[in-house]
Amino acid sequence: MSEQYVRDLEEVDETRIAMVGGKGAHLGALSHIEGVRVPGGFCVTTDAFRRVMAEEPAIVDQLERLSRVDPDDREAIRALSTEIRRTVEGIAIPQDITRAITHALAGLGERTACAVRSSATAEDLPTASFAGQQDTYLNVVGPTEVLRHISRCWASTFTERAVTYRLRNGIDHRAVHMAVVVQRMVFPQASGILFTADPVTGNRKVATVDAGFGLGEALVSGLVNPDVFAVRDGAVVARTIAAKQRAIEALPDGGTREVAVASQRQEEPALTDAQVLRLVELGRRIEAHFGRPQDIEWCLVDDDFRIVQSRPITTLFPVPEAGDDENHVYLSVGHQQMMTDPMKPLGLSVWQLTAMAPMQEAGGRLFVDATRRLASPASRTSLLDIVGRGDPLTRDAVETLLDRDDFIPSIPDATPGTPSAVLPTATIETDPAIVTEAIERTRAALAVLEREIRTKTGPALLDYLLEAFQEHKRVLGDPLSLQVIVAGMEATWWLNDNLLEWLGEKNAADTLTLSAPDNITSEMGLALLDVADVIRPHPEVVAFLQGVEDDRFLDELPKLAGGAEARDAIEAYLDRYGMRCAGEIDITRPRWRESPRTLVPALLDNVRNFEPGAAERRFEQGRQKAWEKEQDVLSRLRALPDGERKADETKRMIDRVRTFIGYREYPKYGIISRFFVYKQALMAEAERLAGAGVVSAAEDVFYLTFQELREVVRTHEVDEGLIARRKDAYRSYLALTPPRVLTSDGEALNGAYRRDDVPAGALAGLPVSAGTVEGRARVILDMADAELEAGDILVTTFTDPSWSPLFVGIAGLVTEVGGLMTHGAVIAREYGLPAVVGVEGATRRIGDGQRIRVHGSDGYVEILP
């Protein structure tokens, strides 16, 4: 029976997390690695914890109350967690468990000093390190004290920080069980932390060592600054030796104390370079065993290292699998597509199968391998130009790598006739009929898809979709469509570059493109104003919409006065735009048609903030401003030397940009329209799988790739464990921030604005829509939470087309992600909103409700007193 409650460390490994918790499992595994020395000891198992918890029935009610607490209600968490800890510490340990522990202690030596350490089942996992959430007690001497501290470790399952961590990460309190590790205490000359990957840059080839004198608690608690060593390729490449004035040492009778370090030793290195290299070599061995970078706690005893903990570094962004040992440079697709959130596996694979370029996955995000294009001088120049126009931060990050000379190998330029990956030069006439034809081609292809897919189910559906994905790419790569897009962009660049040179006008094209025709995304925002016009005269409908809590509200509307008209207007809007949603490149995201209540806040804002007919007035006002700007520019140009020629060229470019720039938004609309057709068919198949008991719920298929789902549909067999692991992985990806540029070494680069024209204290960004505006900042991370007043400035992480309905009601825009030709920038210009994008940390550095000034022509944001 004692084995049920106590296990020697050497008897366990990483497969025993459920029995001995994450820390115990890792320590057991470490003890099996050749050359790695772990202080001897044993684990008090989770069975003992469950047995003790069962001794006190009141805990069931306490945990139930705790599960209902808001993660942000710190007072409630503090009170309840204190109450539960007091209850746990008051439980008498059953005699058979006490006997098992004291017997194990006798094996170490009854008066041997011990470290008593918590080891939770949700701790030190690949997807959640849980570091520092429970307690460790050092230099505990004697059975009575060890037993008391084991109770304290059990109680530390419910520290305030542990409870908050679980609530925020969706971990059930009742599913976490606490084991306790009891180890022989070591009394080191030095101790610290080894990271087998640089925790700041993410570089997997750089290990960092933090070191100090005495016990490691001095470093963990922040009592002293550590010595820091950086190691790469078997050499110390950087070192910082700190003045270590204090240390923590063990007391003879138990416990620890803080002591002063002799002045002559304070600036001595805690480790020699040779010891650092030996420690890193041990770390690499440990990393190889666990298969991922590790955060390792170590002690130096008589020139011999003891490893007292190893956990995965969960904050590192994963690296795409390259399949070789060459250097690679990956560019973030999410920063281009305005969707840096993680995607579920089905969404990732469908985007990969329909994209025009090969893409790799890492951390739930997609990346394009740009190594070959950067290695060739000619393609490098064109790529940097395209990237720089879209996002200067990405360009700066890439140039940082190029400046190192040794990371990206140089290869000869492509031979003549080799296809180039750059955009085609637009050689089409300025003719609106070309835009009409491009739109019609997309519509016709969509109609064929809708007609043909209706008859497909089972394996035939999945086979058909693979064919549809090829057609999808053909539509997306239509040369006419690409020429129209490039014509609009080139005309925009021409106007901005030449009018800046000739007239000193910054971003002149922003005003010249106001209310350009054929912009499906800006029409979407204006169309919601028209829906608001239908609803506004009916107070009963407005009041009803203010209380909407689920997606069945459309069925209830006809029961109200004016409700039938309101429902018809919303339905008509959904018929045209219901395939859209936030994060729409992920096919698994709920579309507006599937979750129409998402639109209700924006709709109510429109009802409250606008007068009838606002859509038509806004469009006409924009068109008039553009015309007036055109007359002003042409008049000023004619007054210059060679002015008639300059004015004629400018007029041709204005006509060209107004003809073509609106179409820039249509291909994405076509993609998302097709995605919704795919999704409806796939969800119908998923419902059949759920009905047959193949999957627990239809949405489980979101955690399978398209290829895996195809096999499940064929065989009616699924790996439930795989789905569970994918769900856990997705949750962990939510906590990661994807870099703009990622290397095969794991280094994450985000670039910097190298500017000297930004006032002190202002936030630098990319100017994408001209003008200056001052107003109240509204920091909104979810469109469904938007409550905007006229004059507000929207501050958010990123905006894809689904955010456009909010743009009609704001005065300015600030985003953390974006470029000159991304959707948010295009629509901001279309609506005449001053906008600055690419503002690093905007949603953290700008407070909700704070007054700010957005300089849309100069690319910075001032935070006002």
Side-chain angles (χ1 to χ4, degrees):
M1 179 61 73
S2 64
E3 283 192 358
Q4 180 182 353
Y5 298 126
V6 173
R7 282 295 181 94
D8 191 276
L9 271 178
E10 293 190 354
E11 296 178 334
V12 299
D13 58 23
E14 59 265 53
T15 66
R16 299 290 188 164
I17 288 174
M19 174 192 287
V20 296
K23 186 178 289 141
H26 277 76
L27 285 168
L30 286 165
S31 67
H32 299 146
I33 302 173
E34 185 179 353
V36 175
R37 297 189 62 182
V38 176
F42 59 88
C43 298
V44 182
T45 68
T46 53
D47 280 346
F49 174 76
R50 279 189 285 266
R51 169 88 180 278
V52 167
M53 294 286 279
E55 296 284 312
E56 179 49 74
I59 286 179
V60 175
D61 174 62
Q62 290 171 335
L63 291 180
E64 180 61 34
R65 284 154 53 205
L66 191 62
S67 69
R68 297 195 297 267
V69 172
D70 187 315
D72 295 319
D73 190 345
R74 296 181 62 179
E75 287 302 317
I77 291 172
R78 182 177 296 120
L80 262 174
S81 61
T82 300
E83 179 184 334
I84 297 173
R85 285 199 309 277
R86 194 178 295 123
T87 300
V88 174
E89 287 190 45
I91 300 171
I93 301 177
Q95 286 190 358
D96 53 344
I97 297 178
T98 299
R99 282 194 300 270
I101 293 170
T102 53
H103 178 73
L105 268 176
L108 294 179
E110 200 168 272
R111 299 300 297 174
T112 297
C114 294
V116 181
R117 315 171 71 192
S118 63
S119 179
T121 52
E123 185 176 20
D124 294 351
L125 306 181
T127 57
S129 78
F130 229 77
Q133 302 305 310
Q134 283 92 30
D135 293 341
T136 288
Y137 302 98
L138 301 178
N139 203 28
V140 181
V141 179
T144 301
E145 283 300 294
V146 169
L147 287 166
R148 186 168 72 87
H149 283 85
I150 287 172
S151 284
R152 293 179 70 184
C153 281
W154 286 332
S156 75
T157 311
F158 304 102
T159 61
E160 184 181 342
R161 63 185 182 273
V163 166
T164 302
Y165 186 97
R166 287 196 294 270
L167 287 169
R168 293 192 186 283
N169 286 274
I171 299 170
D172 187 343
H173 303 295
R174 291 159 291 201
V176 177
H177 301 118
M178 181 66 75
V180 180
V181 176
V182 180
Q183 281 177 286
R184 189 187 304 275
M185 184 73 187
V186 293
F187 301 97
Q189 289 81 49
S191 56
I193 312 290
L194 160 64
F195 297 98
T196 63
D198 189 318
V200 177
T201 68
N203 195 320
R204 270 62 163 182
K205 291 189 175 178
V206 176
T208 65
V209 176
D210 290 5
F213 295 129
L215 293 168
E217 298 307 296
L219 304 186
V220 174
S221 65
L223 179 64
V224 297
N225 291 325
D227 296 341
V228 180
F229 303 85
V231 175
R232 180 174 183 136
D233 297 329
V236 175
V237 294
R239 68 176 62 75
T240 302
I241 307 304
K244 301 170 287 298
Q245 297 176 339
R246 314 293 293 172
I248 292 177
E249 66 177 26
L251 292 167
D253 295 326
T256 61
R257 69 175 177 182
E258 180 185 323
V259 296
V261 176
S263 58
Q264 66 270 25
R265 292 192 63 218
Q266 288 179 5
E267 296 192 23
E268 286 182 10
L271 296 177
T272 66
D273 280 8
Q275 288 170 331
V276 168
L277 295 178
R278 188 150 45 92
L279 175 61
V280 169
E281 195 278 327
L282 275 178
R284 292 295 181 210
R285 216 176 290 176
I286 294 168
E287 178 184 65
H289 176 86
F290 290 116
R292 60 175 56 229
Q294 296 288 300
D295 165 356
I296 299 166
E297 294 182 21
W298 57 268
C299 295
L300 180 69
V301 183
D302 299 327
D303 197 35
D304 195 10
F305 286 105
R306 306 286 200 280
I307 304 301
V308 295
Q309 189 163 337
S310 184
R311 64 169 71 92
I313 309 175
T314 59
T315 56
L316 298 178
F317 201 86
V319 181
E321 292 184 13
D324 59 41
D325 294 326
E326 303 297 320
N327 289 344
H328 292 267
V329 180
Y330 303 101
L331 306 186
S332 166
V333 173
H335 285 81
Q336 176 202 354
Q337 290 293 334
M338 297 298 94
M339 216 297 272
T340 55
D341 290 346
M343 298 167 67
K344 296 186 178 76
L346 184 62
L348 287 164
S349 61
V350 170
W351 189 263
Q352 287 172 304
L353 288 166
T354 54
M356 300 298 288
M359 294 178 183
Q360 282 81 24
E361 181 273 334
R365 279 78 168 188
L366 291 170
F367 294 84
V368 171
D369 188 343
T371 315
R372 287 194 62 80
R373 290 189 62 192
L374 290 170
S376 166
S379 60
R380 178 192 308 151
T381 301
S382 62
L383 178 63
L384 286 173
D385 183 53
I386 292 169
V387 166
R389 287 184 181 273
D391 180 12
L393 290 176
T394 298
R395 175 171 183 151
D396 183 80
V398 172
E399 288 178 330
T400 298
L401 280 176
L402 291 170
D403 288 344
R404 294 178 186 170
D405 294 330
D406 61 345
F407 191 81
I408 302 172
S410 187
I411 60 174
D413 288 334
T415 55
T418 302
S420 172
V422 299
L423 290 170
T425 301
T427 56
I428 54 177
E429 295 297 316
T430 304
D431 182 357
I434 296 174
V435 177
T436 303
E437 181 183 350
I439 291 173
E440 186 49 43
R441 288 186 186 184
T442 301
R443 286 177 176 165
L446 178 65
V448 170
L449 172 67
E450 290 173 330
R451 182 175 67 251
E452 292 183 346
I453 205 168
R454 289 187 193 123
T455 61
K456 307 292 192 295
T457 60
L461 168 65
L462 280 292
D463 292 344
Y464 172 77
L465 281 171
L466 286 177
E467 297 174 16
F469 295 162
Q470 293 306 308
E471 172 65 5
H472 181 120
K473 290 200 274 191
R474 188 199 64 76
V475 172
L476 194 55
D478 183 348
L480 181 67
S481 177
L482 293 175
Q483 284 184 310
V484 173
I485 292 170
V486 173
M489 291 196 299
E490 286 182 343
T492 300
W493 297 337
W494 190 97
L495 287 169
N496 281 336
D497 292 347
N498 285 281
L499 294 182
L500 177 62
E501 178 186 347
W502 294 337
L503 300 176
E505 284 261 359
K506 283 185 180 178
N507 304 313
D510 292 359
T511 305
L512 292 167
T513 54
L514 289 174
S515 298
D518 298 311
N519 189 318
I520 189 73
T521 308
S522 65
E523 289 170 6
M524 178 170 69
L526 296 175
L528 200 64
L529 287 173
D530 290 335
V531 178
D533 285 353
V534 175
I535 290 169
R536 193 178 293 107
H538 305 293
E540 199 176 338
V541 172
V542 174
F544 171 76
L545 290 176
Q546 288 168 342
V548 163
E549 293 184 353
D550 62 46
D551 292 314
R552 296 188 297 261
F553 72 95
L554 288 172
D555 296 333
E556 301 298 315
L557 275 175
K559 301 173 185 176
L560 309 173
E565 298 94 316
R567 184 196 60 183
D568 290 348
I570 296 171
E571 287 283 0
Y573 186 87
L574 291 172
D575 286 344
R576 185 153 171 75
Y577 304 110
M579 77 293 290
R580 310 220 82 148
C581 68
E584 60 192 9
I585 69 170
D586 182 351
I587 197 172
T588 72
R589 291 286 190 104
R591 312 284 133 174
W592 290 345
R593 170 54 80 184
E594 296 168 321
S595 184
R597 65 180 166 147
T598 307
L599 289 170
V600 170
L603 192 50
L604 289 171
D605 284 348
N606 289 350
V607 169
R608 183 175 66 252
N609 296 331
F610 292 93
E611 297 295 323
E616 186 176 348
R617 282 196 305 277
R618 283 186 67 113
F619 187 82
E620 183 53 34
Q621 287 165 0
R623 197 188 63 77
Q624 184 65 25
K625 281 183 184 177
W627 183 83
E628 290 170 358
K629 184 68 172 179
E630 177 182 330
Q631 303 311 305
D632 172 62
V633 163
L634 296 177
S635 172
R636 288 160 61 198
L637 285 172
R638 291 188 182 103
L640 299 176
D642 199 20
E644 286 299 329
R645 179 189 63 80
K646 290 173 180 173
D648 288 347
E649 287 183 7
T650 300
K651 172 60 176 168
R652 282 196 296 276
M653 285 299 175
I654 291 172
D655 290 346
R656 197 164 178 78
V657 80
R658 290 194 65 79
T659 299
F660 294 129
I661 200 64
Y663 179 78
R664 165 69 179 77
E665 293 292 299
Y666 200 86
K668 184 72 170 285
Y669 176 80
I671 290 170
I672 302 306
S673 296
R674 293 183 70 93
F675 264 34
F676 192 40
V677 177
Y678 304 154
K679 183 178 185 182
Q680 288 174 305
L682 287 170
M683 288 311 295
E685 197 62 38
E687 292 289 355
R688 284 189 281 272
L689 291 172
V694 178
V695 294
S696 300
E699 288 75 17
D700 281 356
V701 304
F702 294 163
Y703 297 94
L704 300 171
T705 66
F706 181 86
Q707 295 86 344
E708 289 166 348
L709 176 56
R710 188 181 181 207
E711 189 66 12
V712 170
V713 170
R714 187 182 69 80
T715 64
H716 270 217
E717 294 179 0
V718 71
D719 182 347
E720 292 286 354
L722 174 66
I723 290 173
R725 291 191 298 275
R726 293 270 178 81
K727 288 179 179 179
D728 286 342
Y730 177 77
R731 279 192 291 269
S732 74
Y733 297 154
L734 289 167
L736 298 177
T737 301
R740 285 175 164 82
V741 177
L742 183 65
T743 74
S744 48
D745 286 351
E747 186 175 2
L749 300 101
N750 281 295
Y753 292 110
R754 307 192 187 276
R755 298 169 52 183
D756 54 12
D757 60 341
V758 177
L763 309 181
L766 178 66
V768 296
S769 185
T772 301
V773 66
E774 182 179 317
R776 179 180 71 155
R778 288 307 320 277
V779 180
I780 297 171
L781 302 179
D782 185 340
M783 178 181 162
D785 298 331
E787 283 189 23
L788 295 162
E789 300 290 344
D792 282 349
I793 297 170
L794 174 62
V795 180
T796 190
T797 315
F798 56 80
T799 62
D800 59 12
S802 72
W803 287 71
S804 300
L806 297 187
F807 283 25
V808 297
I810 58 176
L813 174 69
V814 179
T815 68
E816 295 180 347
V817 177
L820 274 168
M821 297 309 295
T822 49
H823 302 278
V826 170
I827 304 307
R829 291 192 290 271
E830 173 74 14
Y831 287 165
L833 301 174
V836 179
V837 302
V839 179
E840 201 69 24
T843 58
R844 289 182 290 101
R845 299 162 74 186
I846 299 172
D848 187 39
Q850 201 162 25
R851 290 197 68 77
I852 61 174
R853 187 180 296 127
V854 177
H855 295 262
S857 301
D858 297 312
Y860 63 88
V861 180
E862 289 182 280
I863 299 176
L864 303 176

